[in-house]
């Protein structure tokens, strides 16, 4: 094998770093060198006090240079960020400076405490990269006690980013379709921690719960996004605080449904079953799907695409098709009487249900009633024998003390 040149080795290393670095989530991007201000803003829209768009930061990273001699570079080469590596997150700092604003100007040395640490030296000739969204204020869900039925959206605490409220306890319920899961990512948390020394609990906290099970409890400040995924279609997001008002930002996050959204039932049809991977639909009696002329259709949800593998056309009336000459009398009778392969399979399935459930239940009932009858007969017979024994003892007593014959019981009894 031939020897690799130094330049080739460097290129391979950079390609490896690119492949191993996780992809960025969606949203708009703002970049600048670490030595220059990072500026970005949302569109003009409405005034900041209205319902216009505001900045919501998804993630913020510092990319330090991988060059052998960064001091020899006149600039940071921001356009080559994908060939650099992540040196640290500054999410908590940029949330404090830019969260909830319509535009922002951020300076690394001015708006962080990095100037008091040695970390600032390794960020020289590096790059700042922010992924953000512009979200209308009216698009945030923050009404306490509300239930949100949506495939995706944003949630935030009341008063964000100026303050948060603690009275009463505020819960927002997120709900998606049956068979789906919910993924919620908290991109900003700024809550008071416990002020009591030695107490590890949170004085104010945000909790994410599913069916009474706590998936997350967090307070303080977060510097990286926190993601929680549910097992079912419902999540509760609760902010608990001990003060009526506290001057910290609160929390902000976005959520989305994982899995395929339940399709609308076809005309003259209905959904009979749905889970995370499959959905079963049927046409009403004397109806069939227009493309297959069958009553039943099963859809499968793709793991990666999160889309169904087939379409769901409306059901058509078989009698109308027959009257219009679109199907023959024989085809109509086969579809109505269930002589198609799928109909026969359905009848067999129902027959299996009868044999597997109904017949054993009847047999068990007969056995229980039979055993009850046997026990009753045994008790009755024993009672009869006992009565005969008592009568015999009475007869022996009469023989020992004779009385007139007409007082003696004529019932036979062997002595």
């Amino acid at each position: 094998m031939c020897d690799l040149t130094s330049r080739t080795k460097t290129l391979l290393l950079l390609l490896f770093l690119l492949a191993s670095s996780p992809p960025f989530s969606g949203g708009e991007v703002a970049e600048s060198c670490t030595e220059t201000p990072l500026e970005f803003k949302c569109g003009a829209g409405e005034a900041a006090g209205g319902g216009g768009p505001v900045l919501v930061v998804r993630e913020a990273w510092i990319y330090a240079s991988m060059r052998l001699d960064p001091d020899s570079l006149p600039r940071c080469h921001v356009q080559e960020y994908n060939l650099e590596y992540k040196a640290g997150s500054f999410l908590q700092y940029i949330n404090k400076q830019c969260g909830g604003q319509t535009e922002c100007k951020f300076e690394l040395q001015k708006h962080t405490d990095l100037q008091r640490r040695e970390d600032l030296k390794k960020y020289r000739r590096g790059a700042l990269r922010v992924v953000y969204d512009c979200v209308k204020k009216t698009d945030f869900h923050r009404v306490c006690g509300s239930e949100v039925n949506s495939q995706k959206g944003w949630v935030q605490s009341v008063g964000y980013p100026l303050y948060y409220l603690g009275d009463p306890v505020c819960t927002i319920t997120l709900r998606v379709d049956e068979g789906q899961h919910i993924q919620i990512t908290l991109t900003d948390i700024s809550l008071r921690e416990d002020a009591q020394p030695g107490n590890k609990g949170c004085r104010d906290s945000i909790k994410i719960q599913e069916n009474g099970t706590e998936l997350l409890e967090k307070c303080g400040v977060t510097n990286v996004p926190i993601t929680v995924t549910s097992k079912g279609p419902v999540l509760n997001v609760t902010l608990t605080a001990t003060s009526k008002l506290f001057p910290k930002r609160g929390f902000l996050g976005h959520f989305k449904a994982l899995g395929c959204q339940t399709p609308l039932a076809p005309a003259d049809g209905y959904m009979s079953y749905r889970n995370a991977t499959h959905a079963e639909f049927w046409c009403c009696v004397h109806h069939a799907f227009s493309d297959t002329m069958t009553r039943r259709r099963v859809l499968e949800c793709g793991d990666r695409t999160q889309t169904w593998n087939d379409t769901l056309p409306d059901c058509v009336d078989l009698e109308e098709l027959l009257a219009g000459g679109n199907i023959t009398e024989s085809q109509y009778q086969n579809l109505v009487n269930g002589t198609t392969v799928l109909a026969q399979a359905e009848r067999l399935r129902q027959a299996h249900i009868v044999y597997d459930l109904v017949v054993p239940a009847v047999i068990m009932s007969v056995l229980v009633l039979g055993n009850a009858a046997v026990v009753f007969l045994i008790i009755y017979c024993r009672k009869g024998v006992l009565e005969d024994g008592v009568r015999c003892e009475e007869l022996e007593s009469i023989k020992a003390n004779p009385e007139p014959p007409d007082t003696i019981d004529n019932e036979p009894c062997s002595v």
Side-chain angles (χ1 to χ4, degrees):
M1 182 180 294
C2 59
D3 294 334
L4 295 175
T5 64
S6 175
R7 186 172 183 178
T8 303
K9 291 180 180 179
T10 303
L11 178 60
L12 290 175
L13 175 61
L14 295 177
L15 291 175
F16 170 77
L17 291 172
L18 172 61
S20 60
S21 178
F24 289 99
S25 56
E28 301 183 56
V29 175
E31 297 175 318
S32 75
C33 299
T34 52
E35 291 83 4
T36 59
L38 176 65
E39 298 185 51
F40 56 105
K41 65 179 180 178
C42 292
E46 301 177 21
V54 294
L55 295 170
V56 174
V57 179
R58 286 181 179 261
E59 52 184 299
W61 295 96
I62 303 176
Y63 285 78
S65 176
M66 282 290 294
R67 305 287 182 176
L68 297 178
D69 187 12
D71 291 333
S72 63
L73 296 175
R75 54 194 181 89
C76 62
H77 294 279
V78 176
Q79 67 273 19
E80 298 179 3
Y81 72 89
N82 55 351
L83 299 181
E84 314 287 327
Y85 73 98
K86 291 180 179 179
S89 172
F90 61 103
L91 182 63
Q92 61 173 318
Y93 303 109
I94 201 163
N95 271 327
K96 182 178 180 180
Q97 179 68 14
C98 305
Q101 307 299 317
T102 56
E103 57 183 301
C104 181
K105 181 177 180 181
F106 178 85
E107 298 181 42
L108 187 64
Q109 296 189 25
K110 180 178 180 181
H111 297 123
T112 69
D113 59 359
L114 297 177
Q115 64 270 24
R116 298 193 298 268
R117 299 185 298 175
E118 293 296 322
D119 292 344
L120 190 59
K121 294 181 179 179
K122 69 179 182 181
Y123 296 150
R124 292 182 60 200
R125 305 288 190 234
L128 302 179
R129 191 174 198 271
V130 172
V131 181
Y132 69 97
D133 291 274
C134 292
V135 183
K136 290 183 178 180
K137 290 185 177 181
T138 54
D139 290 341
F140 290 103
H141 300 286
R142 58 179 184 175
V143 178
C144 300
S146 62
E147 182 174 297
V148 181
N149 292 273
S150 179
Q151 291 290 296
K152 61 181 179 179
W154 297 86
V155 290
Q156 66 175 196
S157 55
V158 177
Y160 182 92
L162 303 177
Y163 59 87
Y164 63 87
L165 303 178
D167 186 21
V169 173
C170 186
T171 298
I172 300 174
T173 301
L174 307 178
R175 184 182 297 273
V176 295
D177 291 348
E178 193 68 33
Q180 291 185 307
H181 311 288
I182 303 175
Q183 184 183 85
I184 180 170
T185 301
L186 300 175
T187 57
D188 189 14
I189 298 177
S190 177
L191 300 172
R192 176 174 48 176
E193 297 182 77
D194 198 293
Q196 301 296 327
N199 192 337
K200 297 181 180 180
C202 292
R203 188 170 184 181
D204 300 339
S205 67
I206 177 175
K207 295 181 181 179
I208 298 178
Q209 297 175 312
E210 180 180 13
N211 294 327
T213 301
E214 188 174 291
L215 305 181
L216 174 72
E217 181 181 12
K218 188 70 177 177
C219 58
V221 179
T222 181
N223 198 37
V224 291
I226 300 176
T227 299
V228 176
T229 303
S230 70
K231 295 181 179 179
V234 182
L235 272 183
N236 290 324
V237 182
T238 302
L239 175 63
T240 303
T242 54
S243 300
K244 291 186 177 182
L245 185 147
F246 197 80
K248 280 197 173 185
R249 293 190 304 280
F251 76 89
L252 182 144
H254 63 89
F255 67 92
K256 64 179 180 179
L258 299 180
C260 297
Q261 185 176 4
T262 301
L264 295 176
D268 296 314
Y270 58 92
M271 184 177 70
S272 62
Y273 176 74
R274 165 74 207 266
N275 63 9
T277 57
H278 293 82
E280 182 182 64
F281 291 85
W282 282 81
C283 289
C284 299
V285 178
H286 292 187
H287 290 76
F289 288 110
S290 57
D291 56 348
T292 59
M293 285 293 110
T294 57
R295 286 190 59 200
R296 177 175 177 264
R297 174 163 297 188
V298 177
L299 304 182
E300 183 176 358
C301 180
D303 292 336
R304 294 183 178 275
T305 61
Q306 295 192 20
T307 56
W308 298 106
N309 67 329
D310 203 352
T311 58
L312 196 65
D314 290 335
C315 301
V316 294
D317 192 327
L318 297 178
E319 295 181 356
E320 292 182 359
L321 292 179
L322 178 63
N326 296 308
I327 58 175
T328 65
E329 180 68 28
S330 176
Q331 290 174 325
Y332 173 80
Q333 292 298 332
N334 288 341
L335 291 170
V336 171
N337 296 328
T339 57
T340 62
V341 175
L342 287 177
Q344 291 176 357
E346 175 61 17
R347 290 206 309 274
L348 289 175
R349 185 180 70 84
Q350 295 176 355
H352 282 305
I353 292 177
V354 173
Y355 284 113
D356 293 342
L357 298 178
V358 178
V359 174
V362 172
I363 293 175
M364 291 298 297
S365 300
V366 172
L367 290 176
V368 170
L369 293 175
N371 289 333
V374 171
V375 171
F376 175 77
L377 289 175
I378 292 175
I379 294 175
Y380 179 79
C381 291
R382 287 184 176 178
K383 182 178 180 182
V385 171
L386 179 60
E387 291 177 352
D388 288 344
V390 172
R391 291 178 180 178
C392 290
E393 290 178 358
E394 291 177 354
L395 184 58
E396 292 295 332
S397 175
I398 293 173
K399 288 182 179 181
N401 302 285
E403 294 183 6
D406 56 350
T407 63
I408 300 177
D409 191 354
N410 294 324
E411 183 178 353
C413 181
S414 58
V415 178

